[in-house]
Amino acid sequence: MNIYEALYTTRMMRRLRPDPIPLETQCRILDAAIRAPTGGNTQRWHFLAVDDPAMKQALSKLYQQCRKLEYADMAAGKLAKSMHNQEEHAATLGKIKASGDYFTEHFAEIPLLLFVFSIDDHGGANIYPAIWSALLAARAEGVGGTITTVLRYEAEAVAELLGVPVGENWKMNTMLAFGYPLGRWGVAANRHPIHEVSSRNQWGRSIGATIPEPMWSYAPDAGPVV
């Protein structure tokens, strides 16, 4: 797969098929992840794969509780202000909520959950390259994935359930959900162009180019867009 195809078409897939992901495919995804840069080559990361039905069911209940707490915080204005509560983004928010609802309702059916842990990773500089590498590798395998931090509300319960040695200072960074997607890949169309969100030498100065359209194009596969 062309590197730009992976970069331009990897998107968060929350509607996933329950079909299992072969172990060899899982290993290729993880092997790509551990090749990512890591400060001082410390490799203070751990990837915990979960595919046991009973474990996924228990995590599903925790996820449902956490999602309610997150939406309550949004409504109360406790989370960082972004596009939430802005009428002009109502349609986009509706789509996000719908896909999030589907993800929550079918959580226990997701074939592979990958919990990512690290130690002393200030700002995520060491772990997030590995996370993104895992998602790109999954894309190359035809596997969809999404990142979620919703379970942070019950981090202690998750750690206990998964047997994490918290006394060794392991911290849960995120959870990745992997599965073969129901939707299809495509270039994100609703992005502000680079000349609107970039500057050169000083904030607000022109980047030096105007790029109104994506600089790489893609003919999507046939299939439903969800």
Side-chain angles (χ1 to χ4, degrees):
M1 173 180 288
N2 181 290
I3 184 65
Y4 279 102
E5 181 176 350
L7 288 169
Y8 271 73
T9 66
T10 299
R11 47 175 289 214
M12 297 297 101
M13 293 289 195
R14 297 180 182 87
R15 292 182 171 90
L16 305 168
R17 303 178 188 277
D19 311 61
I21 300 172
L23 179 59
E24 183 179 352
T25 301
Q26 296 182 33
C27 289
R28 282 197 292 267
I29 292 171
L30 285 167
D31 194 53
I34 65 167
R35 306 301 161 183
T38 169
N41 198 30
T42 54
Q43 304 179 60
R44 288 187 290 189
W45 49 34
H46 190 87
F47 305 89
L48 201 164
V50 176
D51 56 10
D52 177 73
M55 185 71 76
K56 290 192 293 183
Q57 189 61 50
L59 289 165
S60 177
K61 293 178 180 178
L62 285 174
Y63 192 89
Q64 292 174 31
Q65 296 171 13
C66 291
R67 192 160 187 262
K68 291 178 181 178
L69 291 171
E70 184 174 66
Y71 268 81
D73 279 352
M74 287 181 185
K78 294 180 180 179
L79 297 183
K81 294 185 181 296
S82 57
M83 65 181 184
H84 297 288
N85 301 321
Q86 296 183 22
E87 294 182 3
E88 63 267 29
H89 293 293
T92 298
L93 285 173
K95 291 180 181 179
I96 293 173
K97 186 177 186 304
S99 65
D101 288 345
Y102 184 95
F103 182 84
T104 303
E105 292 166 9
H106 296 269
F107 188 98
E109 302 167 21
I110 298 169
L112 180 65
L113 305 176
L114 186 65
F115 288 83
V116 183
F117 298 86
S118 66
I119 294 176
D120 297 331
D121 188 9
H122 307 293
N126 288 323
I127 197 61
Y128 275 95
I131 290 170
W132 190 235
S133 288
L135 288 165
L136 291 173
R139 171 67 185 95
E141 298 286 340
V143 174
T146 192
I147 303 173
T148 176
T149 59
V150 172
L151 283 168
R152 67 188 182 279
Y153 289 94
E154 291 287 355
E156 291 183 5
V158 171
E160 182 177 357
L161 187 64
L162 299 178
V164 179
V166 293
E168 298 177 11
N169 296 320
W170 288 102
K171 177 184 177 182
M172 179 174 66
N173 296 96
T174 190
M175 186 202 83
L176 305 178
F178 289 113
Y180 294 100
L182 287 169
R184 69 172 184 247
W185 313 102
V187 178
N190 59 343
R191 293 291 191 268
H192 297 299
I194 60 173
H195 58 272
E196 292 183 7
V197 298
S198 307
S199 304
R200 189 180 302 279
N201 296 323
Q202 191 172 44
W203 190 285
R205 290 185 177 178
S206 173
I207 191 66
T210 299
I211 312 293
E213 300 294 335
M215 298 180 72
W216 186 89
S217 60
Y218 175 67
D221 301 328
V225 177
V226 294

